[in-house]
Every structure is written in C-alpha cells, then in structure tokens.
Amino acid sequence: MTEPGARDDHSLAAELAGTAGRLLLGVRDETGFADARALKDTGDLRAHEYLMAALAERCPGDAVLSEEGRSSVAGKRSLGDDRAPTRNTADAERLTASRVWIVDPLDGTREFSEEGRRDWAVHVALWERDASGAGRLAAGAVALPAQGLTLRTDAVGGASLVRTDLADPDPVTAGRGPAGAPPPREVPLHVPAPEGEKLRIAVSRTRPPEFVRRLAEAIEPEVELVPIGSAGAKISAVLLGEVDAYVHAGGQYEWDSAAPAAVALGAGAHASRIDGSPLRYNREDPRLPDILVCHPMSASTLLTGIREVSGALP
C-alpha cells in the first residue's frame, strides 16, 4: 500500500494518460476529420508536449522515452505551432537512469484520424531499476479516451478499470449492482479465462500477420481472428474479455507495449515475447518487435503453436 504522502506512480500514470486522452478528444473536435494527416500530426504532438511538460513538472529527476520525442520525428510541426517537439532524454542519461517513463502519446494514429473509431489509446508506463541493476515495469496506464475507459496498475500489484464517463454503462459491473445504484467508478481488473469453443485472437486491422493465420490453422481449438486498431486497444480487449489473445510479430517499439504490458501483468495475464522470453524495456535499441498477451491457461497452446509455424515469422 502506498504510504501517506508518498508519490503514487500508478495514479500519476492514470491521471496523465486520462488527461492526454481528453486533450486528444478536443483535438478531434477542433480539427475535424477532413485532413487526416493534419489531425494525426496535431494529435501526436499536442499529446506529446502535454506529457513531456507534465512529467518534467511532476517528476523532474526522471528520464523520458516518448515515440514523438525521437530525433527522427523532431521535424514534425503541430498546426499553428512552429516550435520543435521536446526531445527525449539523451540515450546515455536514460540508460543509466533509475526511473524512465516510456510513453506513446497517441497509439493508433490511423484510427484516431477516422471518425467514429474508438480503438486508439494513450500509453504511460514507468520502468524502474531494481536492486540487481536490472529493471522492470513498475507502473502503467492505458487510456481509451473514445471508450471512456482507463486501465491502470495499482500499488498492491494488481490492476483496475476506471470508467471516466459516468453516463456510460459500466462494461464490468452493469446489471450486477442494486437497481438504480450508480456503478462504481473503479473496479478491480482480472483477465478473464476463455469461454466457448473458439479462441479469439486480436490482429492488425490493416496488416494481419501471415504467421498468425498459419497459427490459427495449426492449433486447437478453432480460432477467430478479430481486427482491432492500436496495440493498446488490442491488449485492452484481451483484459476486458472482448478477445482471448493478442499475438504480434514484425515491428513494434517499447512505447507500443510498455504500458499495456504493465497493466496486463497486473491483471494476471501472460505477457511475453512470442518465444516465451520476458519483455525487456529501457534498452539502447527500443525495438521490441513481438508480443503475446493472453490468459495464462492459453499460453502453452499458443507458444507451442507459434513454435510450429516459426518458419512463417516475419
């Protein structure tokens, strides 16, 4: 339990992800959907600048690795703002830091720019060095602004689902409480076990990997592939019971999975590389190209199937 007066990194991650999400909803209203590129760039950079400023103020001694703070994207400009985006902490400093925030200000820019789509997210994760000198994900939050939800870790090693719009039905507690009683704003989050005869696997809606199609043919039970937008939305769908697993290979970075992996582990899910090895963060090369998230009872089946179709891996 968090000591009185101590900084609660879990609550801070959720607060920052939720606030950046509300900012992005405002960008959608302000910019509209006629120019997708302008909407994507404006959303990316405004959410990035908000998170960089908030972390500098709230955690001034911590390092930051943001997708939009890389030198490769530093030439982007938000509409009406000619300032260069705030750069990430220099690699030499980040790699020796004891605390590093790994953030994706807007995960799923394609879906963000399409009117009516709800499968995009904001990721805020904290990596912390441990006594051995290695490190681990210490906190994380995934905001799904268009769904009015935030999934977050907590101070006792678990995870919670926070409903940010009390006017919407609660997907977890709807129908379970006393008649007329408002549902709780925050409830514990536990990855649900698969039900039924099909295993539902989330895949990219634009680039479904061929090896996942082969995996679906190689394993029992029957598999249904479910296209969903951002990585954060896919992993959240596993934790909310909308699908049973997320399998990906072929190109991701640490910011794509750090926050959702932290929440998934807190919710009791299996989260690993597709060869079963642990996910490692805050490395010199931030590429982390593959991931498997599922209920623990499905992990052995999926890992065995992935090994059988490894020749089809991208």
Side-chain angles (χ1 to χ4, degrees), residues 221-252:
E222 183 181 353
V223 170
E224 175 187 0
L225 302 183
V226 182
I228 298 177
S230 80
K234 293 185 187 79
I235 295 172
S236 296
V238 176
L239 304 182
L240 295 172
E242 296 165 355
V243 296
D244 302 306
Y246 172 43
V247 185
H248 178 83
Q252 281 189 352

PDB file of all heavy atoms in Angstrom, residues 221-252:
ATOM      1  N   PRO A 221      -8.066 -24.936 -29.910  1.00  0.00           N
ATOM      2  CA  PRO A 221      -9.342 -25.033 -30.595  1.00  0.00           C
ATOM      3  C   PRO A 221      -9.406 -24.165 -31.851  1.00  0.00           C
ATOM      4  O   PRO A 221      -8.389 -23.608 -32.278  1.00  0.00           O
ATOM      5  CB  PRO A 221     -10.306 -24.507 -29.532  1.00  0.00           C
ATOM      6  CG  PRO A 221      -9.495 -23.467 -28.813  1.00  0.00           C
ATOM      7  CD  PRO A 221      -8.091 -24.035 -28.768  1.00  0.00           C
ATOM      8  N   GLU A 222     -10.602 -24.063 -32.407  1.00  0.00           N
ATOM      9  CA  GLU A 222     -10.836 -23.193 -33.549  1.00  0.00           C
ATOM     10  C   GLU A 222     -10.501 -21.752 -33.173  1.00  0.00           C
ATOM     11  O   GLU A 222     -10.722 -21.315 -32.036  1.00  0.00           O
ATOM     12  CB  GLU A 222     -12.299 -23.279 -33.969  1.00  0.00           C
ATOM     13  CG  GLU A 222     -12.649 -22.465 -35.200  1.00  0.00           C
ATOM     14  CD  GLU A 222     -14.112 -22.565 -35.570  1.00  0.00           C
ATOM     15  OE1 GLU A 222     -14.825 -23.377 -34.944  1.00  0.00           O
ATOM     16  OE2 GLU A 222     -14.542 -21.838 -36.474  1.00  0.00           O
ATOM     17  N   VAL A 223      -9.957 -21.003 -34.146  1.00  0.00           N
ATOM     18  CA  VAL A 223      -9.525 -19.617 -33.893  1.00  0.00           C
ATOM     19  C   VAL A 223     -10.332 -18.662 -34.756  1.00  0.00           C
ATOM     20  O   VAL A 223     -10.577 -18.921 -35.936  1.00  0.00           O
ATOM     21  CB  VAL A 223      -8.020 -19.456 -34.191  1.00  0.00           C
ATOM     22  CG1 VAL A 223      -7.629 -17.986 -34.179  1.00  0.00           C
ATOM     23  CG2 VAL A 223      -7.194 -20.231 -33.169  1.00  0.00           C
ATOM     24  N   GLU A 224     -10.720 -17.569 -34.158  1.00  0.00           N
ATOM     25  CA  GLU A 224     -11.335 -16.456 -34.889  1.00  0.00           C
ATOM     26  C   GLU A 224     -10.393 -15.257 -34.801  1.00  0.00           C
ATOM     27  O   GLU A 224     -10.006 -14.847 -33.695  1.00  0.00           O
ATOM     28  CB  GLU A 224     -12.686 -16.082 -34.260  1.00  0.00           C
ATOM     29  CG  GLU A 224     -13.329 -14.849 -34.913  1.00  0.00           C
ATOM     30  CD  GLU A 224     -14.582 -14.397 -34.176  1.00  0.00           C
ATOM     31  OE1 GLU A 224     -14.947 -15.041 -33.171  1.00  0.00           O
ATOM     32  OE2 GLU A 224     -15.159 -13.381 -34.592  1.00  0.00           O
ATOM     33  N   LEU A 225      -9.989 -14.704 -35.945  1.00  0.00           N
ATOM     34  CA  LEU A 225      -9.131 -13.516 -35.956  1.00  0.00           C
ATOM     35  C   LEU A 225     -10.011 -12.271 -35.898  1.00  0.00           C
ATOM     36  O   LEU A 225     -10.939 -12.127 -36.693  1.00  0.00           O
ATOM     37  CB  LEU A 225      -8.256 -13.496 -37.211  1.00  0.00           C
ATOM     38  CG  LEU A 225      -7.339 -14.718 -37.398  1.00  0.00           C
ATOM     39  CD1 LEU A 225      -6.480 -14.546 -38.644  1.00  0.00           C
ATOM     40  CD2 LEU A 225      -6.450 -14.921 -36.168  1.00  0.00           C
ATOM     41  N   VAL A 226      -9.686 -11.367 -34.971  1.00  0.00           N
ATOM     42  CA  VAL A 226     -10.509 -10.183 -34.733  1.00  0.00           C
ATOM     43  C   VAL A 226      -9.676  -8.932 -35.014  1.00  0.00           C
ATOM     44  O   VAL A 226      -8.765  -8.614 -34.248  1.00  0.00           O
ATOM     45  CB  VAL A 226     -11.029 -10.145 -33.277  1.00  0.00           C
ATOM     46  CG1 VAL A 226     -11.925  -8.925 -33.065  1.00  0.00           C
ATOM     47  CG2 VAL A 226     -11.772 -11.430 -32.936  1.00  0.00           C
ATOM     48  N   PRO A 227      -9.941  -8.212 -36.107  1.00  0.00           N
ATOM     49  CA  PRO A 227      -9.164  -6.997 -36.418  1.00  0.00           C
ATOM     50  C   PRO A 227      -9.491  -5.869 -35.441  1.00  0.00           C
ATOM     51  O   PRO A 227     -10.669  -5.546 -35.229  1.00  0.00           O
ATOM     52  CB  PRO A 227      -9.614  -6.640 -37.841  1.00  0.00           C
ATOM     53  CG  PRO A 227     -10.345  -7.836 -38.360  1.00  0.00           C
ATOM     54  CD  PRO A 227     -10.922  -8.509 -37.161  1.00  0.00           C
ATOM     55  N   ILE A 228      -8.455  -5.268 -34.853  1.00  0.00           N
ATOM     56  CA  ILE A 228      -8.595  -4.129 -33.933  1.00  0.00           C
ATOM     57  C   ILE A 228      -7.453  -3.177 -34.250  1.00  0.00           C
ATOM     58  O   ILE A 228      -6.389  -3.588 -34.719  1.00  0.00           O
ATOM     59  CB  ILE A 228      -8.539  -4.591 -32.461  1.00  0.00           C
ATOM     60  CG1 ILE A 228      -9.692  -5.555 -32.147  1.00  0.00           C
ATOM     61  CG2 ILE A 228      -8.601  -3.398 -31.504  1.00  0.00           C
ATOM     62  CD1 ILE A 228      -9.678  -6.125 -30.721  1.00  0.00           C
ATOM     63  N   GLY A 229      -7.618  -1.887 -33.962  1.00  0.00           N
ATOM     64  CA  GLY A 229      -6.632  -0.871 -34.313  1.00  0.00           C
ATOM     65  C   GLY A 229      -5.343  -0.938 -33.518  1.00  0.00           C
ATOM     66  O   GLY A 229      -4.454  -1.746 -33.795  1.00  0.00           O
ATOM     67  N   SER A 230      -5.200  -0.094 -32.527  1.00  0.00           N
ATOM     68  CA  SER A 230      -3.901   0.090 -31.886  1.00  0.00           C
ATOM     69  C   SER A 230      -3.524  -1.092 -30.999  1.00  0.00           C
ATOM     70  O   SER A 230      -4.373  -1.886 -30.573  1.00  0.00           O
ATOM     71  CB  SER A 230      -3.933   1.358 -31.035  1.00  0.00           C
ATOM     72  OG  SER A 230      -4.570   1.127 -29.788  1.00  0.00           O
ATOM     73  N   ALA A 231      -2.214  -1.204 -30.698  1.00  0.00           N
ATOM     74  CA  ALA A 231      -1.735  -2.276 -29.817  1.00  0.00           C
ATOM     75  C   ALA A 231      -2.357  -2.143 -28.433  1.00  0.00           C
ATOM     76  O   ALA A 231      -2.751  -3.144 -27.820  1.00  0.00           O
ATOM     77  CB  ALA A 231      -0.218  -2.231 -29.728  1.00  0.00           C
ATOM     78  N   GLY A 232      -2.455  -0.918 -27.938  1.00  0.00           N
ATOM     79  CA  GLY A 232      -3.071  -0.725 -26.628  1.00  0.00           C
ATOM     80  C   GLY A 232      -4.523  -1.152 -26.607  1.00  0.00           C
ATOM     81  O   GLY A 232      -5.005  -1.736 -25.627  1.00  0.00           O
ATOM     82  N   ALA A 233      -5.246  -0.864 -27.688  1.00  0.00           N
ATOM     83  CA  ALA A 233      -6.644  -1.276 -27.772  1.00  0.00           C
ATOM     84  C   ALA A 233      -6.746  -2.796 -27.862  1.00  0.00           C
ATOM     85  O   ALA A 233      -7.675  -3.393 -27.296  1.00  0.00           O
ATOM     86  CB  ALA A 233      -7.310  -0.623 -28.981  1.00  0.00           C
ATOM     87  N   LYS A 234      -5.811  -3.445 -28.560  1.00  0.00           N
ATOM     88  CA  LYS A 234      -5.850  -4.913 -28.670  1.00  0.00           C
ATOM     89  C   LYS A 234      -5.617  -5.563 -27.308  1.00  0.00           C
ATOM     90  O   LYS A 234      -6.340  -6.495 -26.913  1.00  0.00           O
ATOM     91  CB  LYS A 234      -4.791  -5.390 -29.656  1.00  0.00           C
ATOM     92  CG  LYS A 234      -5.015  -4.986 -31.115  1.00  0.00           C
ATOM     93  CD  LYS A 234      -3.959  -5.646 -31.990  1.00  0.00           C
ATOM     94  CE  LYS A 234      -4.024  -5.156 -33.432  1.00  0.00           C
ATOM     95  NZ  LYS A 234      -3.385  -3.830 -33.607  1.00  0.00           N
ATOM     96  N   ILE A 235      -4.590  -5.109 -26.580  1.00  0.00           N
ATOM     97  CA  ILE A 235      -4.294  -5.715 -25.273  1.00  0.00           C
ATOM     98  C   ILE A 235      -5.409  -5.396 -24.282  1.00  0.00           C
ATOM     99  O   ILE A 235      -5.803  -6.245 -23.476  1.00  0.00           O
ATOM    100  CB  ILE A 235      -2.914  -5.236 -24.779  1.00  0.00           C
ATOM    101  CG1 ILE A 235      -1.831  -5.764 -25.718  1.00  0.00           C
ATOM    102  CG2 ILE A 235      -2.660  -5.697 -23.343  1.00  0.00           C
ATOM    103  CD1 ILE A 235      -0.445  -5.212 -25.456  1.00  0.00           C
ATOM    104  N   SER A 236      -5.971  -4.204 -24.358  1.00  0.00           N
ATOM    105  CA  SER A 236      -7.114  -3.872 -23.501  1.00  0.00           C
ATOM    106  C   SER A 236      -8.290  -4.793 -23.805  1.00  0.00           C
ATOM    107  O   SER A 236      -9.019  -5.206 -22.895  1.00  0.00           O
ATOM    108  CB  SER A 236      -7.516  -2.408 -23.706  1.00  0.00           C
ATOM    109  OG  SER A 236      -6.477  -1.535 -23.297  1.00  0.00           O
ATOM    110  N   ALA A 237      -8.480  -5.131 -25.084  1.00  0.00           N
ATOM    111  CA  ALA A 237      -9.584  -6.023 -25.459  1.00  0.00           C
ATOM    112  C   ALA A 237      -9.403  -7.403 -24.829  1.00  0.00           C
ATOM    113  O   ALA A 237     -10.383  -8.047 -24.454  1.00  0.00           O
ATOM    114  CB  ALA A 237      -9.678  -6.135 -26.980  1.00  0.00           C
ATOM    115  N   VAL A 238      -8.140  -7.864 -24.704  1.00  0.00           N
ATOM    116  CA  VAL A 238      -7.889  -9.132 -24.000  1.00  0.00           C
ATOM    117  C   VAL A 238      -8.306  -8.999 -22.536  1.00  0.00           C
ATOM    118  O   VAL A 238      -8.987  -9.863 -21.979  1.00  0.00           O
ATOM    119  CB  VAL A 238      -6.397  -9.520 -24.095  1.00  0.00           C
ATOM    120  CG1 VAL A 238      -6.130 -10.796 -23.285  1.00  0.00           C
ATOM    121  CG2 VAL A 238      -5.977  -9.723 -25.551  1.00  0.00           C
ATOM    122  N   LEU A 239      -7.929  -7.914 -21.894  1.00  0.00           N
ATOM    123  CA  LEU A 239      -8.190  -7.735 -20.461  1.00  0.00           C
ATOM    124  C   LEU A 239      -9.666  -7.493 -20.179  1.00  0.00           C
ATOM    125  O   LEU A 239     -10.138  -7.746 -19.070  1.00  0.00           O
ATOM    126  CB  LEU A 239      -7.347  -6.575 -19.919  1.00  0.00           C
ATOM    127  CG  LEU A 239      -5.835  -6.701 -20.158  1.00  0.00           C
ATOM    128  CD1 LEU A 239      -5.092  -5.526 -19.538  1.00  0.00           C
ATOM    129  CD2 LEU A 239      -5.300  -8.017 -19.606  1.00  0.00           C
ATOM    130  N   LEU A 240     -10.400  -6.990 -21.168  1.00  0.00           N
ATOM    131  CA  LEU A 240     -11.831  -6.729 -20.995  1.00  0.00           C
ATOM    132  C   LEU A 240     -12.693  -7.910 -21.460  1.00  0.00           C
ATOM    133  O   LEU A 240     -13.917  -7.850 -21.379  1.00  0.00           O
ATOM    134  CB  LEU A 240     -12.234  -5.471 -21.783  1.00  0.00           C
ATOM    135  CG  LEU A 240     -11.599  -4.162 -21.283  1.00  0.00           C
ATOM    136  CD1 LEU A 240     -11.908  -3.020 -22.244  1.00  0.00           C
ATOM    137  CD2 LEU A 240     -12.090  -3.816 -19.888  1.00  0.00           C
ATOM    138  N   GLY A 241     -12.044  -8.980 -21.950  1.00  0.00           N
ATOM    139  CA  GLY A 241     -12.788 -10.166 -22.365  1.00  0.00           C
ATOM    140  C   GLY A 241     -13.419 -10.059 -23.739  1.00  0.00           C
ATOM    141  O   GLY A 241     -14.230 -10.902 -24.113  1.00  0.00           O
ATOM    142  N   GLU A 242     -13.021  -9.049 -24.518  1.00  0.00           N
ATOM    143  CA  GLU A 242     -13.585  -8.903 -25.864  1.00  0.00           C
ATOM    144  C   GLU A 242     -12.903  -9.851 -26.849  1.00  0.00           C
ATOM    145  O   GLU A 242     -13.479 -10.202 -27.878  1.00  0.00           O
ATOM    146  CB  GLU A 242     -13.435  -7.451 -26.316  1.00  0.00           C
ATOM    147  CG  GLU A 242     -14.239  -6.488 -25.432  1.00  0.00           C
ATOM    148  CD  GLU A 242     -13.839  -5.037 -25.626  1.00  0.00           C
ATOM    149  OE1 GLU A 242     -12.874  -4.775 -26.362  1.00  0.00           O
ATOM    150  OE2 GLU A 242     -14.487  -4.180 -25.011  1.00  0.00           O
ATOM    151  N   VAL A 243     -11.643 -10.204 -26.588  1.00  0.00           N
ATOM    152  CA  VAL A 243     -10.918 -11.244 -27.315  1.00  0.00           C
ATOM    153  C   VAL A 243     -10.166 -12.064 -26.266  1.00  0.00           C
ATOM    154  O   VAL A 243     -10.152 -11.712 -25.084  1.00  0.00           O
ATOM    155  CB  VAL A 243      -9.918 -10.652 -28.351  1.00  0.00           C
ATOM    156  CG1 VAL A 243     -10.645  -9.894 -29.444  1.00  0.00           C
ATOM    157  CG2 VAL A 243      -8.886  -9.764 -27.670  1.00  0.00           C
ATOM    158  N   ASP A 244      -9.511 -13.154 -26.715  1.00  0.00           N
ATOM    159  CA  ASP A 244      -8.830 -14.041 -25.770  1.00  0.00           C
ATOM    160  C   ASP A 244      -7.315 -13.906 -25.812  1.00  0.00           C
ATOM    161  O   ASP A 244      -6.631 -14.380 -24.895  1.00  0.00           O
ATOM    162  CB  ASP A 244      -9.221 -15.497 -26.060  1.00  0.00           C
ATOM    163  CG  ASP A 244     -10.721 -15.694 -25.965  1.00  0.00           C
ATOM    164  OD1 ASP A 244     -11.287 -15.339 -24.923  1.00  0.00           O
ATOM    165  OD2 ASP A 244     -11.321 -16.183 -26.949  1.00  0.00           O
ATOM    166  N   ALA A 245      -6.763 -13.321 -26.888  1.00  0.00           N
ATOM    167  CA  ALA A 245      -5.306 -13.223 -27.004  1.00  0.00           C
ATOM    168  C   ALA A 245      -4.926 -12.151 -28.021  1.00  0.00           C
ATOM    169  O   ALA A 245      -5.732 -11.782 -28.894  1.00  0.00           O
ATOM    170  CB  ALA A 245      -4.712 -14.568 -27.436  1.00  0.00           C
ATOM    171  N   TYR A 246      -3.718 -11.674 -27.876  1.00  0.00           N
ATOM    172  CA  TYR A 246      -3.112 -10.785 -28.878  1.00  0.00           C
ATOM    173  C   TYR A 246      -1.749 -11.357 -29.209  1.00  0.00           C
ATOM    174  O   TYR A 246      -0.919 -11.568 -28.314  1.00  0.00           O
ATOM    175  CB  TYR A 246      -2.980  -9.365 -28.320  1.00  0.00           C
ATOM    176  CG  TYR A 246      -2.196  -8.416 -29.198  1.00  0.00           C
ATOM    177  CD1 TYR A 246      -2.373  -8.383 -30.571  1.00  0.00           C
ATOM    178  CD2 TYR A 246      -1.276  -7.523 -28.642  1.00  0.00           C
ATOM    179  CE1 TYR A 246      -1.663  -7.510 -31.371  1.00  0.00           C
ATOM    180  CE2 TYR A 246      -0.561  -6.637 -29.429  1.00  0.00           C
ATOM    181  CZ  TYR A 246      -0.753  -6.628 -30.792  1.00  0.00           C
ATOM    182  OH  TYR A 246      -0.041  -5.765 -31.584  1.00  0.00           O
ATOM    183  N   VAL A 247      -1.511 -11.629 -30.478  1.00  0.00           N
ATOM    184  CA  VAL A 247      -0.232 -12.164 -30.948  1.00  0.00           C
ATOM    185  C   VAL A 247       0.265 -11.246 -32.052  1.00  0.00           C
ATOM    186  O   VAL A 247      -0.460 -10.971 -33.018  1.00  0.00           O
ATOM    187  CB  VAL A 247      -0.388 -13.594 -31.514  1.00  0.00           C
ATOM    188  CG1 VAL A 247       0.983 -14.164 -31.869  1.00  0.00           C
ATOM    189  CG2 VAL A 247      -1.110 -14.501 -30.523  1.00  0.00           C
ATOM    190  N   HIS A 248       1.512 -10.775 -31.915  1.00  0.00           N
ATOM    191  CA  HIS A 248       2.053  -9.866 -32.935  1.00  0.00           C
ATOM    192  C   HIS A 248       3.536 -10.130 -33.124  1.00  0.00           C
ATOM    193  O   HIS A 248       4.265 -10.430 -32.172  1.00  0.00           O
ATOM    194  CB  HIS A 248       1.852  -8.409 -32.506  1.00  0.00           C
ATOM    195  CG  HIS A 248       2.438  -7.440 -33.490  1.00  0.00           C
ATOM    196  ND1 HIS A 248       1.764  -7.042 -34.629  1.00  0.00           N
ATOM    197  CD2 HIS A 248       3.646  -6.807 -33.527  1.00  0.00           C
ATOM    198  CE1 HIS A 248       2.519  -6.204 -35.323  1.00  0.00           C
ATOM    199  NE2 HIS A 248       3.675  -6.054 -34.675  1.00  0.00           N
ATOM    200  N   ALA A 249       3.975  -9.998 -34.353  1.00  0.00           N
ATOM    201  CA  ALA A 249       5.406 -10.037 -34.674  1.00  0.00           C
ATOM    202  C   ALA A 249       5.624  -9.202 -35.918  1.00  0.00           C
ATOM    203  O   ALA A 249       4.738  -9.083 -36.761  1.00  0.00           O
ATOM    204  CB  ALA A 249       5.889 -11.457 -34.908  1.00  0.00           C
ATOM    205  N   GLY A 250       6.800  -8.602 -36.011  1.00  0.00           N
ATOM    206  CA  GLY A 250       7.140  -7.922 -37.241  1.00  0.00           C
ATOM    207  C   GLY A 250       7.288  -6.424 -37.137  1.00  0.00           C
ATOM    208  O   GLY A 250       7.414  -5.763 -38.169  1.00  0.00           O
ATOM    209  N   GLY A 251       7.307  -5.853 -35.930  1.00  0.00           N
ATOM    210  CA  GLY A 251       7.622  -4.443 -35.866  1.00  0.00           C
ATOM    211  C   GLY A 251       6.838  -3.688 -34.824  1.00  0.00           C
ATOM    212  O   GLY A 251       5.702  -3.288 -35.073  1.00  0.00           O
ATOM    213  N   GLN A 252       7.419  -3.515 -33.656  1.00  0.00           N
ATOM    214  CA  GLN A 252       6.905  -2.618 -32.622  1.00  0.00           C
ATOM    215  C   GLN A 252       8.088  -2.067 -31.851  1.00  0.00           C
ATOM    216  O   GLN A 252       9.221  -2.554 -31.972  1.00  0.00           O
ATOM    217  CB  GLN A 252       5.947  -3.346 -31.664  1.00  0.00           C
ATOM    218  CG  GLN A 252       4.545  -3.551 -32.210  1.00  0.00           C
ATOM    219  CD  GLN A 252       3.581  -4.081 -31.157  1.00  0.00           C
ATOM    220  OE1 GLN A 252       3.980  -4.432 -30.044  1.00  0.00           O
ATOM    221  NE2 GLN A 252       2.309  -4.148 -31.513  1.00  0.00           N
TER     222      GLN A 252
END
